[in-house]
Amino acid sequence: MDLLSDAVAAMRTGTPHSNRSENRAPWQQSFPAQQGAGFHVVLQGSCWLIPSAGDPIRLLAGDVAFLPRERGHTIGDSPHPDHRDSTAGTAVMLCGAYLLDQSRAHPLLAELPDVIHLPARVGHHTPLRGAIELLGHELDTDHDSGAIAPLLEVLLLYMLRAWYDDHPADTGWSAALYDPAIHAALTAVHRAPGAPWTVKALAAQAGLSRSVFAQRFTATLGIAPQSYLTWWRMTLAARMLRDTDALLRVIAEKSGYTSEYAFAKAFKREFGVAPGRFRAADPVQVSLIRATA
């Protein structure tokens, strides 16, 4: 998997879902704030997206709107839900949602704006358009299709790639995705988080000297290489504790620790709670633990 898919996988907590709808004016639908992300694709017609904060956004046929964190929003035929000043028409929508743990969002997703608007442009984001077409076809033909969930995962990655392609930057994770040296080091960490990585070893992956790599990594991402390594290891460990019944010894080894004691100490330092208690907590308690850690 690439860095974007790794970041999404680390946050995923459930199966995504989607639906296709035909809406005749006047219409509107509100979505409450929740732990997750959502998207809207206008297949025909047009509509308005009204975020919980900020100005309404007009969505035209072919436009995609992605909300990386669901703070609550409304879509409808009018930019003013309390005043029915819409123009007559029908909007055919493809909408969906992803269940993501926002309490420990990967920096790749945490730096995104609350609303991403990807206007339809001929010849742009061809893979994204292809994924939308395939998903729409599956929803039209069989709502129980086993292909829908995988297509939604692909769609999410293409939405993120489209945004980052359109918004290059000199610093931050957007820059890291397109910096060959930093990208190589991050890929190595993601492929083998339990390996005995040192700054020198990561610099070798990047093809740079130790000092140049450390400076470039920190200046670009705002975090030192070893600090990110620890964060990523603990993020994966938390997911294994939450989603599997793997022994603590196994999780410690996969996280790069030679003993359960060293792992438990590092985990408690990161989360403020021991691994055993973290695993035993229900999802609500886990979110509270993470939020206060």
Side-chain angles (χ1 to χ4, degrees), residues 16-20 29 31 34 36-43 49 59 63-70 73 75 93-98 114-116 118 128 131-132 135-136 139 148-149 151-157 159-160:
H17 60 272
S18 181
N19 67 81
R20 188 179 186 276
Q29 184 176 2
F31 300 84
Q34 58 183 317
F39 72 87
H40 301 288
V41 181
V42 183
L43 300 178
L49 186 150
L59 301 179
D63 284 9
V64 177
F66 176 58
L67 298 93
R69 58 197 69 83
E70 183 54 272
H73 71 282
I75 58 170
M93 307 290 297
L94 181 63
C95 306
Y98 303 90
D114 287 344
V115 180
I116 288 175
L118 299 169
L128 173 59
I132 291 171
L135 179 58
L139 290 170
I148 290 177
L151 282 173
L152 284 169
E153 300 289 359
V154 171
L155 178 63
L156 175 55
L157 293 179
M159 286 189 292
L160 293 172

Side-chain angles (χ1 to χ4, degrees), residues 96-179:
Y98 303 90
L99 300 176
L100 303 174
D101 182 357
Q102 301 285 4
S103 65
R104 197 174 175 84
H106 191 281
L108 267 169
L109 303 183
E111 72 177 18
L112 295 172
D114 287 344
V115 180
I116 288 175
H117 180 202
L118 299 169
R121 289 183 290 171
V122 176
H124 281 69
H125 311 314
T126 302
L128 173 59
R129 303 299 162 187
I132 291 171
E133 184 176 347
L134 287 171
L135 179 58
H137 174 75
E138 289 298 316
L139 290 170
D140 281 343
T141 56
D142 184 357
H143 287 270
D144 295 322
S145 170
I148 290 177
L151 282 173
L152 284 169
E153 300 289 359
V154 171
L155 178 63
L156 175 55
L157 293 179
Y158 284 150
M159 286 189 292
L160 293 172
R161 287 175 182 169
W163 170 261
Y164 279 114
D165 285 345
D166 287 346
H167 296 80
D170 295 328
T171 60
W173 283 85
S174 175
L177 290 175
Y178 300 98
D179 183 315

Side-chain angles (χ1 to χ4, degrees), residues 195-250:
W197 294 114
T198 62
V199 176
K200 182 178 180 180
L202 290 174
Q205 293 288 326
L208 300 172
S209 69
R210 182 186 184 283
S211 59
V212 170
F213 167 73
Q215 182 180 17
R216 185 160 158 183
F217 189 102
T218 305
T220 301
L221 298 180
I223 184 173
Q226 288 296 102
S227 295
Y228 177 75
L229 174 62
T230 298
W231 186 91
W232 182 243
R233 284 172 168 174
M234 292 297 101
T235 297
L236 296 181
R239 187 179 184 194
M240 284 187 281
L241 287 167
R242 183 189 65 202
D243 298 340
T244 76
D245 58 0
L247 296 174
L248 192 61
R249 170 181 55 79
V250 174

